[in-house]
Amino acid sequence: MALVAIGLGLFWLILLFVRYREGTWVDGTWVYIQDAWAFDLAAYVNAAQRLIDEGSLYARHLVAGTFEPGPADLYYYAPPLGVAMLPFTDLPLADSSAIWWALHVGAMLLACALMPVRTVLRALAFAVLAFSLPGLKDPVLGNVSMLLVLPMVVAWRWLDRPVGSIVMAVAISVRPSLGVFLLWQLLRRQWRAAMWTILAGLGLVLVTLPFVGIAGYRDYLAVLGNLSVPMGASENQDLGALALSLGGGEEIVWLARWAGVAAVTTALLYSLRRDREIGYMVMLCASLLLVPLFWDHYLATLIVPVAFLAQRLWAPLILLPLLSWLPIASPLLVIGTMLVLFLVPRSEQLAAGGAKDEAVPA
C-alpha cells in the first residue's frame, strides 16, 4: 500500500509538471500557456538579479512605503532566500523552474520519509500532500510552502536538539510568522534550544551580509514595516477575509483578525500544559494563523500536524488536507486541526496505557 501511495503521488506530480510547464515561442520568447507557472519563483530570481544589478533585493517603491499584495515580481522575503537564488540568475526560467520543481518533490519525499510515524502513514502523507490543493498550487507557482515542510519535520524528529533549532531558524528566515517557534521555546524554558535558534539566525545574517550588506536588512525591515492587509486583498483567506466575505464591515474585519491572534495566544499558552510534541504541532498551526496574508497554498505545511494526529489519535485524519479543495475558509481548517490536537492523549497517558496492556495476561 505504501508503494502504491507514493507511486500515485509521483505520477500525479509528473502530470502536473507536464501540463503546467507547457508553452510556446512568441516573438523569440518562450511563453507559458499557464500564467501561474513559476509565478513566485520568477519573483525570487528577479530579486536576486536586482541585487546584482541595483544592489538591493527589494523594489524601491516597496521600501519607500507602498504595499502591493498581488502583482508579479514582488519580493517580501528576508535576504537569505534572495541570496540562495543567485545561482538561478544564470539559468533560463524554463531550466530553473524544472530544477525548482524537482527540489519540491525531493523535499516532499524526504520530509515524509523522516516523519516519526508508521511507514504507511509516511507514504499516505506524501500522496495526500500531492493530491491536496497546496500540492497543486505551491509547486506550480514555485512558492516555498512545500519546501518548509522539510525543516518542520526535521525539527519534529529532533525536537529540542541543535539540528531542530538550526533548521527552524532557516525556516523562520523564509516565513517570519514561524518566529513563534522561538517564543514557544522560551515559554517552555528550553534555553539551550532557544540559544541554538538565535545563534543559527545570527549565522544566517552573517553569511548573507557580504552579499546584501547592512542596507539589505535595513530595506527588509522597511518593507516589513510597510506591510498592511487591505480589505478584499486578492486571494487572501485570513479570518478578516472570511468576515468580509460574510458581509462584515471594517470594524468586524479588524475584530476577526485580532480574535485570531487572541485564539493563537490562548492555544499556545494552554499547549504548555501538554507534552512537547502536542505543543510543537499547536505552534505550527499558530504560525499559519499569524501570517499577514494567508494564501491557500500555505496549507502545505498542515501535513505535519495532520501526520502527528494520524499517528497519535486516528489514522484516517491523515486525509484532512484534502479538505483544502472544498470551498471552506483556510483558517477554519487550521483552527479545526489545532483544536483536535488538544484531544490527543498525553505521551505519559499513552505510556501508562501501554504498560497496563502489557500487564494483562494473555
Side-chain angles (χ1 to χ4, degrees):
M1 180 178 179
L3 290 177
V4 171
I6 293 172
L8 287 174
L10 285 173
F11 181 69
W12 172 246
L13 290 170
I14 291 171
L15 284 180
L16 291 179
F17 177 79
V18 173
R19 174 67 183 89
Y20 278 87
R21 196 168 178 260
E22 184 181 358
T24 184
W25 290 98
V26 178
D27 297 330
T29 302
W30 184 259
V31 177
Y32 293 107
I33 294 176
Q34 302 289 342
D35 293 337
W37 177 257
F39 185 89
D40 289 347
L41 173 64
Y44 308 154
V45 175
N46 289 342
Q49 188 63 52
R50 190 182 299 115
L51 177 62
I52 296 172
D53 297 338
E54 304 174 16
S56 177
L57 291 163
Y58 308 97
R60 300 319 303 171
H61 70 280
L62 299 181
V63 177
T66 304
F67 173 72
E68 299 174 83
D73 198 25
L74 297 181
Y75 182 82
Y76 291 103
Y77 294 82
L81 177 61
V83 172
M85 301 307 295
L86 285 171
F88 288 92
T89 58
D90 293 327
L91 298 173
L93 185 59
D95 295 339
S96 60
S97 61
I99 295 171
W100 198 241
W101 181 282
L103 287 174
H104 275 72
V105 177
M108 287 171 61
L109 285 169
L110 183 56
C112 294
L114 289 174
M115 285 181 176
V117 298
R118 297 188 299 276
T119 301
V120 66
L121 290 179
R122 296 175 188 174
L124 287 174
F126 176 78
V128 167
L129 180 55
F131 282 101
S132 68
L133 178 60
L136 164 66
K137 294 188 70 172
D138 200 76
V140 167
L141 291 170
N143 195 260
V144 292
S145 297
M146 196 169 287
L147 298 177
L148 289 175
V149 174
L150 180 56
M152 290 178 180
V153 170
V154 171
W156 175 18
R157 192 177 183 95
W158 290 284
L159 204 55
D160 295 332
R161 296 187 184 182
V163 64
S165 296
I166 291 169
V167 297
M168 283 302 289
V170 175
I172 291 168
S173 75
V174 176
R175 184 154 294 161
S177 64
L178 283 169
V180 72
F181 174 74
L182 177 59
L183 174 62
W184 177 71
Q185 288 180 316
L186 294 173
L187 288 172
R188 293 174 55 239
R189 301 180 183 179
Q190 295 297 315
W191 311 122
R192 183 174 296 181
M195 185 56 64
W196 274 107
T197 304
I198 294 170
L199 290 176
L202 291 175
L204 274 176
V205 173
L206 291 176
V207 167
T208 53
L209 271 180
F211 298 92
V212 301
I214 298 294
Y217 281 92
R218 189 169 59 243
D219 287 349
Y220 174 59
L221 293 177
V223 169
L224 281 185
N226 295 331
L227 276 177
S228 61
V229 186
M231 292 181 62
S234 174
E235 295 189 37
N236 179 30
Q237 295 191 18
D238 68 355
L239 288 172
L242 175 60
L244 183 64
S245 67
L246 295 175
E250 186 172 352
E251 297 81 5
I252 300 298
V253 170
W254 178 88
L255 191 61
R257 287 171 177 162
W258 279 105
V261 174
V264 163
T265 304
T266 303
L268 277 175
L269 293 176
Y270 187 67
S271 73
L272 298 175
R273 304 175 61 181
R274 311 303 294 271
D275 66 58
R276 63 178 189 165
E277 280 191 289
I278 295 175
Y280 176 70
M281 298 304 165
V282 170
M283 182 278 303
L284 291 183
C285 291
S287 71
L288 279 171
L289 296 172
L290 291 174
V291 291
L293 287 166
F294 194 162
W295 310 132
D296 50 16
H297 52 273
Y298 287 6
L299 288 173
T301 58
L302 197 65
I303 193 65
V304 182
V306 163
F308 170 78
L309 285 172
Q311 173 72 11
R312 288 272 294 268
L313 192 61
W314 191 40
L317 289 173
I318 195 68
L319 302 176
L320 270 177
L322 296 179
L323 294 178
S324 59
W325 287 102
L326 299 178
I328 61 173
S330 296
L332 295 184
L333 183 55
V334 178
I335 291 171
T337 303
M338 186 166 63
L339 292 176
V340 174
L341 285 166
F342 288 105
L343 301 178
V344 175
R346 291 179 173 85
S347 54
E348 58 268 22
Q349 291 175 322
L350 292 174
K356 182 178 179 180
D357 291 342
E358 292 174 359
V360 176

